[in-house]
Amino acid sequence: MSAELKVEQEFGKVIRDRHSVRKYDPSWTISDAEIKEILEEAILAPSSSNLQPWRFIVITDPDVKAQLLPIAHNQAQITESSATIAVLGDLEAYRNAETIYQYAEAAGYVTAEIGAAMAKRSYDGYSGMPAERLKDIALIDGGLISMQLMLAAKARGYDTVPMGGFVHDSFKELFGITERYVPVMLIALGKAEVEGRPTARLPLEAVTHWNAFQA
């Protein structure tokens, strides 16, 4: 078997085995180092103009989990999973453009001149956008990285569930989050105590159109 085919089969297994898990083994811990490895793979996700607006809060402290529990409508996975990862979107990610292109220059991806020009273009373009457009971008990019995080976790044998059901204002108050950042979702991460239930999908032909669209 070729290496390419083996990778394809392994990836196919990961995406097919991933299911949302809501019942976790509360005794299972995942080390900070391994959570960092999962996040390192997650941040390879694409983003608008590579501005990488995502920010994470990794919640492992039982006391903090207990405070978060009622904010998340008492979903048991908040306290039972090894960690809850909050994904935030930075509405002013354009402010980091210069730093991002400095990293790109140091890696040899761009020259200093090109990097400075691209950083200026990003700053000027995004800083003039309406707030709602910036929020849309942050939520889209936050969704991209959240899915990548969940697949990276499953590839290591861990389970996840994305949660949009929480009181955003109370969450922001708990963690002192300013208006610059928008909560995207919470993701429980851990080892399943009860395997996730398989769910049906609409057939491909029901959701795919070629060269036109008909509702």
Side-chain angles (χ1 to χ4, degrees):
M1 180 185 297
S2 69
E4 291 82 2
L5 181 58
K6 185 173 186 294
V7 168
E8 181 179 341
Q9 289 182 343
E10 289 174 349
F11 180 69
K13 179 173 173 55
V14 167
I15 61 174
R16 285 168 175 80
D17 287 353
R18 188 217 61 81
H19 300 293
S20 292
V21 167
R22 292 175 174 80
K23 187 67 176 175
Y24 291 85
D25 179 352
S27 68
W28 191 278
T29 59
I30 302 176
S31 69
D32 291 353
E34 197 160 12
I35 293 174
K36 287 178 182 178
E37 289 176 2
I38 291 170
L39 293 176
E40 286 283 0
E41 292 190 346
I43 62 174
L44 298 176
S47 60
S48 182
S49 297
N50 193 36
L51 290 178
Q52 307 162 51
W54 40 71
R55 298 293 180 270
F56 306 108
I57 304 174
V58 180
I59 305 160
T60 56
D61 186 299
D63 291 337
V64 181
K65 288 182 177 183
Q67 294 177 69
L68 179 57
L69 183 62
I71 293 172
H73 306 306
N74 294 309
Q75 297 178 79
Q77 58 265 28
I78 293 291
T79 54
E80 292 177 353
S81 62
S82 303
T84 295
I85 299 175
V87 181
L88 310 178
D90 183 359
L91 302 179
E92 299 178 13
Y94 55 84
R95 296 186 182 278
N96 300 314
E98 184 177 353
T99 299
I100 290 169
Y101 281 103
Q102 286 173 349
Y103 279 114
E105 179 191 349
Y109 300 151
V110 297
T111 64
E113 182 180 6
I114 291 174
M118 294 179 74
K120 184 178 187 305
R121 188 179 306 123
S122 292
Y123 186 94
D124 292 347
Y126 285 82
S127 62
M129 288 183 181
E132 280 304 307
R133 178 62 183 140
L134 292 171
K135 182 177 180 181
D136 288 344
I137 292 170
L139 292 175
I140 289 170
D141 290 348
L144 289 171
I145 198 165
S146 295
M147 189 70 252
Q148 189 139 314
L149 189 161
M150 289 186 283
L151 291 176
K154 191 61 185 177
R156 285 172 168 74
Y158 295 123
D159 299 288
T160 56
V161 61
M163 294 171 280
F166 59 100
V167 183
H168 288 205
D169 288 344
S170 298
F171 174 83
K172 292 175 72 173
E173 182 179 354
L174 175 62
F175 290 98
I177 298 168
T178 67
E179 292 304 307
R180 174 171 171 170
Y181 302 95
V182 57
V184 177
M185 68 179 72
L186 305 176
I187 301 175
L189 169 67
K191 199 74 170 176
E193 187 169 78
V194 177
E195 290 299 320
R197 177 173 54 84
T199 52
R201 293 293 186 270
L202 292 168
L204 182 62
E205 56 269 22
V207 298
T208 305
H209 303 265
W210 297 82
N211 305 312
F213 180 76
Q214 183 176 358

